């Protein structure tokens, strides 16, 4: 028995920047922070070259540091690009902004932050004073409100480059919220909601999506559909499937109407919502509907990519991955393998050009293809794919834990099942234990989103202590804990049914327990403490 997780990809259409790309080569060439990152990377590469090949643990440690620094450099370049675009767009009409921009253009990123930080109290005083005067002096104060708001928005973006600040996430949220407190624009509200969603803060993300709907989208159908689609992705991720259904349905209806009037503008939106609805129907085990939606989305994206490959190839790759997940779930293994292989080739091409954006998607497809190869007994291929996916996910989880820890746990669980099947039991237990520890951390942030994965991992460890290293007491304990978690949520989260059935099967067919025995153990078991049994 195995329980291998496959991942879909969900798409959002956000507020897009139509300005031409900014050439940041000069800024980066002057930046001491960027040079320092490059020097650190070069030092690690030189160190790696001098480590003997038989020192595998040390070489692995350095290799992981090289991967982390490489990802950090790509993130730094992306953040500087966005900042350059924002500084070029805004009217520079305060001394503070002039000084910050001057430092930024000289590559003095820390000095640009320091301009704002040195006048933090003054900015906050201005912020509070302007809020108090807003209702009475709107005509005169409004321009100042907008600029103060934009300064805090820029400060939020700058915080993304503060790698030495352990509180960067909280500080970024504070600057976003100060920006909106004084003057909330649709762009900042949407980007903040999306930022919160990406970092698993689903409750606050929903609040700001709803604010966008109420404040900005009441008379704009396309923007209403955009935010409904984002809300549906959020609710699907958080296992609130009924809410997601209503939002997807309304978003798709709006986008189909708009596409009739203007196909060129709105057919991509239709395809994106169809792709996400396919994920939703897959989660509900409605595979026929899911496949029909995915096939229609893929047909649209292929047509669009034939005209504009650069813009739409990512969507072709993502939809192929999702179609393969559906095919694999429907036991159409050969079709799934072909779709994964095609998606993988596209993601390698994309990741070569933009590693920070597409290496996480590459890892999803590698892990999913490894699941298929493992089931088809192509073990060498599967192991290579799992290993590559794990390397990528460790790299991104180190850089941004809130966004990528869940992905790391999924691959660890898949690898644990793989190594259990190969009788590599020490590795399997280490991977199960690490995955379970990650889920414990994630449950502190969002229990609704991660209870199913936590319960599924407990069920897999129950199987481990039945099949691989027989231990009746531990196997039964893990199975009971899994059932206690999964049984209350299985109606609202249908994909948890397989894990629940596995846990029950271990107790009944594996250890010979009766229904009465199981019910008694469940009644006596305390709520899961999130502790890991050694």
């Amino acid at each position: 028995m195995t329980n291998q997780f496959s991942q879909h990809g969900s798409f959002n259409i956000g507020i897009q920047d139509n300005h031409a790309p900014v050439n940041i080569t000069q800024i980066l060439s002057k930046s001491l922070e960027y040079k320092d990152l490059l020097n650190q990377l070069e030092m690690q590469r030189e160190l790696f070259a001098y480590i003997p090949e038989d020192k595998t643990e040390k070489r692995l440690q350095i290799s992981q540091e090289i991967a982390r620094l490489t990802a950090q450099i790509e993130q730094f370049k992306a953040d500087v690009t966005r900042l350059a675009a924002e500084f070029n767009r805004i009217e520079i009409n305060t001394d503070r902004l002039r000084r910050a921009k001057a430092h930024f253009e000289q590559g003095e990123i820390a000095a640009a932050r320091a301009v704002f930080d040195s006048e933090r109290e003054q900015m906050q005083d201005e912020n509070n004073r302007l809020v108090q005067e807003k209702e009475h002096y709107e005509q005169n104060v409004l321009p100042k409100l907008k600029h103060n708001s934009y300064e805090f928005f820029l400060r939020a973006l700058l915080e993304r480059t503060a790698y030495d600040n352990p509180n960067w996430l909280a500080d970024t949220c504070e600057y976003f919220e100060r920006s909106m407190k004084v003057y909330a624009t649709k762009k900042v509200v949407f980007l903040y909601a999306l930022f919160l969603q990406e970092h698993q803060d689903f409750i606050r993300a929903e609040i700001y999506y709803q604010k966008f709907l109420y404040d900005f989208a009441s008379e704009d159908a396309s923007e209403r559909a955009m935010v409904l689609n984002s809300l549906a992705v959020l609710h699907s991720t958080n296992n609130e499937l009924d809410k997601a259904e209503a939002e997807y349905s309304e978003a798709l209806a709006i986008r189909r109407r708009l596409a009739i009037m203007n196909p060129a503008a709105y057919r991509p939106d239709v395809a994106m919502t169809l792709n996400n609805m396919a994920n939703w129907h897959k989660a509900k085990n409605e595979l026929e509907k899911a496949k029909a939606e995915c096939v229609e989305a893929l047909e649209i994206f292929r047509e669009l990519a034939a005209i504009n490959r650069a813009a739409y190839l990512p969507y072709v790759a993502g939809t192929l991955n999702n179609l393969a997940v559906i095919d694999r779930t429907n036991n159409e293994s050969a079709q799934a393998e072909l779709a994964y292989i095609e998606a993988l080739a596209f993601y390698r091409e994309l990741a070569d050009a933009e590693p920070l954006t597409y290496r996480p998607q590459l890892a999803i497809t590698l892990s999913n293809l490894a699941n298929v190869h493992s089931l088809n007994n192509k073990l060498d291929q599967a192991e290579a794919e799992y290993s590559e996916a794990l390397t990528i996910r460790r790299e991104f989880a180190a850089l941004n834990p809130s966004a990528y820890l869940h992905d790391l746990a999924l691959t660890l669980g898949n690898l644990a099942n793989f190594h259990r099947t190969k009788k590599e039991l020490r590795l399997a237990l280490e991977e199960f234990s690490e995955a379970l520890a990650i889920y414990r951390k994630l449950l502190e942030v969002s229990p609704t989103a991660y209870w199913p994965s936590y319960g599924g991992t407990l069920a897999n460890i129950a199987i481990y202590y039945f099949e691989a290293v027989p231990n009746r007491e531990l196997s039964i304990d893990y199975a009971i804990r899994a059932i206690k978690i999964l049984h209350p949520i299985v109606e609202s989260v249908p994909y948890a049914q397989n894990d629940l059935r596995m846990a029950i099967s271990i107790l009944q067919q594996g250890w010979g327990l009766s229904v009465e025995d199981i019910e008694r153990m469940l009644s006596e078991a305390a709520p899961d403490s999130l502790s890991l049994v050694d």
Side-chain angles (χ1 to χ4, degrees):
M1 286 178 279
T2 61
N3 178 33
Q4 292 166 310
F5 297 92
S6 296
Q7 285 185 272
H8 291 77
S10 296
F11 306 129
N12 285 312
I13 294 182
I15 298 173
Q16 298 183 7
D17 180 1
N18 295 320
H19 288 251
V22 177
N23 186 341
I24 62 165
T25 303
Q26 291 185 344
I27 295 173
L28 290 173
S29 69
K30 298 175 183 177
S31 169
L32 295 179
E33 290 164 285
Y34 184 68
K35 291 176 181 177
D36 181 62
L37 287 170
L38 293 177
N39 288 338
Q40 291 181 52
L41 179 61
E42 184 60 27
M43 289 174 60
Q44 291 298 319
R45 286 173 172 167
E46 291 177 0
L47 182 59
F48 184 87
Y50 284 101
I51 301 299
E53 290 189 0
D54 61 341
K55 302 292 185 180
T56 55
E57 185 174 346
K58 185 62 176 176
R59 287 174 68 87
L60 176 61
Q61 179 184 353
I62 298 172
S63 176
Q64 290 173 343
E65 179 62 10
I66 289 171
R68 185 189 69 80
L69 285 168
T70 301
Q72 197 172 79
I73 288 167
E74 292 300 321
Q75 178 68 64
F76 188 93
K77 289 162 64 178
D79 291 335
V80 170
T81 299
R82 167 168 280 185
L83 280 162
E86 297 299 341
F87 272 122
N88 286 338
R89 182 180 298 108
I90 188 175
E91 180 183 358
I92 306 298
N93 62 356
T94 67
D95 179 67
R96 182 164 49 226
L97 279 173
R98 281 191 290 272
R99 287 184 286 123
K101 184 179 182 183
H103 283 302
F104 175 77
E105 290 177 342
Q106 292 300 313
E108 299 165 357
I109 311 297
R113 291 197 299 268
V115 169
F116 292 97
D117 290 342
S118 66
E119 300 184 19
R120 175 176 175 143
E121 292 185 4
Q122 179 183 342
M123 288 173 64
Q124 290 175 344
D125 289 341
E126 290 175 7
N127 185 279
N128 294 330
R129 175 176 55 79
L130 292 171
V131 169
Q132 293 173 2
E133 295 176 354
K134 181 178 179 181
E135 293 182 0
H136 301 290
Y137 302 101
E138 193 166 84
Q139 183 174 357
N140 296 324
V141 172
L142 189 56
K144 295 180 181 178
L145 289 170
K146 290 180 179 180
H147 281 289
N148 183 267
S149 170
Y150 215 94
E151 286 182 345
F152 272 101
F153 172 56
L154 286 172
R155 186 63 185 90
L157 298 183
L158 279 164
E159 193 60 33
R160 293 294 303 273
T161 68
Y163 299 119
D164 57 343
N165 178 10
N167 297 315
W168 74 269
L169 183 58
D171 289 348
T172 300
C173 291
E174 177 191 345
Y175 298 133
F176 264 118
E177 289 171 12
R178 281 195 168 273
S179 174
M180 290 182 292
K181 183 179 179 181
V182 66
Y183 190 82
T185 65
K186 66 169 65 176
K187 178 178 182 177
V188 176
V189 171
F190 183 85
L191 289 178
Y192 186 43
L194 191 61
F195 176 83
L196 291 168
Q197 181 177 352
E198 289 170 349
H199 291 84
Q200 317 300 313
D201 192 340
F202 300 129
I203 293 175
R204 285 200 295 169
E206 180 172 3
I207 289 171
Y208 285 102
Y209 281 135
Q210 294 291 357
K211 177 178 174 61
F212 188 100
L213 284 175
Y214 183 81
D215 289 351
F216 304 115
S218 59
E219 297 181 0
D220 189 319
S222 65
E223 289 190 342
R224 178 172 179 81
M226 175 189 73
V227 178
L228 285 169
N229 181 77
S230 297
L231 269 171
V233 172
L234 183 152
H235 286 135
S236 292
T237 304
N238 208 30
N239 296 310
E240 299 175 87
L241 300 184
D242 290 341
K243 289 183 180 180
E245 179 179 21
E247 291 154 351
Y248 277 139
S249 297
E250 184 180 352
L252 183 62
I254 292 171
R255 286 175 162 176
R256 285 199 188 278
R257 288 198 303 270
L258 293 170
I260 292 172
M261 296 182 289
N262 189 343
Y266 294 109
R267 282 189 80 217
D269 296 4
V270 170
M272 289 178 187
T273 303
L274 281 167
N275 179 76
N276 291 343
M277 285 192 75
N279 294 348
W280 181 85
H281 279 122
K282 161 63 175 61
K284 297 277 285 185
N285 289 325
E286 298 177 10
L287 299 182
E288 186 175 340
K289 291 181 181 178
K291 182 158 185 175
E293 290 158 347
C294 214
V295 167
E296 183 182 355
L298 182 59
E299 180 181 349
I300 295 171
F301 283 135
R302 284 195 191 278
E303 290 176 9
L304 294 168
I307 300 168
N308 188 342
R309 181 180 176 85
Y312 291 105
L313 186 62
Y315 300 111
V316 173
T319 309
L320 279 166
N321 176 79
N322 291 350
L323 181 60
V325 172
I326 294 165
D327 283 339
R328 179 183 171 241
T329 306
N330 210 24
N331 296 315
E332 297 173 344
S333 179
Q335 293 183 41
E337 183 176 7
L338 290 174
Y340 280 139
I341 289 171
E342 186 179 5
L344 188 65
F346 290 149
Y347 275 131
R348 289 199 186 280
E349 177 184 336
L350 292 163
D352 285 343
E354 297 183 55
L356 189 66
T357 302
Y358 293 111
R359 276 171 64 77
Q361 300 300 318
L362 175 63
I364 289 176
T365 307
L366 280 164
S367 187
N368 290 347
L369 181 58
N371 290 345
V372 172
H373 284 151
S374 178
L375 288 173
N376 292 341
N377 208 34
K378 299 177 181 178
L379 301 186
D380 290 343
Q381 289 175 260
E383 187 158 24
E385 290 153 355
Y386 279 136
S387 297
E388 186 179 355
L390 186 66
T391 298
I392 294 170
R393 286 180 159 171
R394 286 200 186 282
E395 167 189 325
F396 279 85
L399 184 64
N400 191 342
S402 61
Y404 294 110
L405 267 179
H406 182 229
D407 292 346
L408 175 59
L410 287 177
T411 298
L412 284 164
N414 288 342
L415 259 174
N417 282 319
F418 176 81
H419 285 134
R420 184 190 70 202
T421 302
K422 290 187 67 179
K423 307 300 182 185
E424 297 176 3
L425 303 182
R426 181 185 60 80
L427 283 174
L429 185 58
E430 289 176 358
E431 289 153 354
F432 274 136
S433 300
E434 186 178 357
L436 205 61
I438 290 172
Y439 284 129
R440 291 204 311 272
K441 290 181 182 178
L442 294 172
L443 285 170
E444 296 173 3
V445 178
S446 181
T448 306
Y450 299 114
W451 271 122
S453 297
Y454 182 70
T457 305
L458 291 172
N460 275 287
I461 298 176
I463 296 170
Y464 173 89
Y465 282 119
F466 171 71
E467 290 183 344
V469 183
N471 185 316
R472 178 184 175 89
E473 181 180 356
L474 286 180
S475 180
I476 290 174
D477 178 68
Y478 277 108
I480 290 293
R481 289 166 63 190
I483 294 169
K484 200 165 183 68
I485 288 169
L486 295 172
H487 188 266
I489 65 175
V490 73
E491 290 299 323
S492 60
V493 188
Y495 65 80
Q497 290 175 358
N498 185 53
D499 295 323
L500 179 62
R501 284 195 293 266
M502 284 197 308
I504 294 171
S505 177
I506 283 294
L507 297 177
Q508 291 183 322
Q509 279 73 53
W511 298 112
L513 299 183
S514 67
V515 172
E516 292 76 15
D517 290 332
I518 296 172
E519 289 178 345
R520 176 182 53 78
M521 290 179 176
L522 287 170
S523 66
E524 293 173 354
D528 195 277
S529 64
L530 308 187
S531 62
L532 177 61
V533 178
D534 293 328

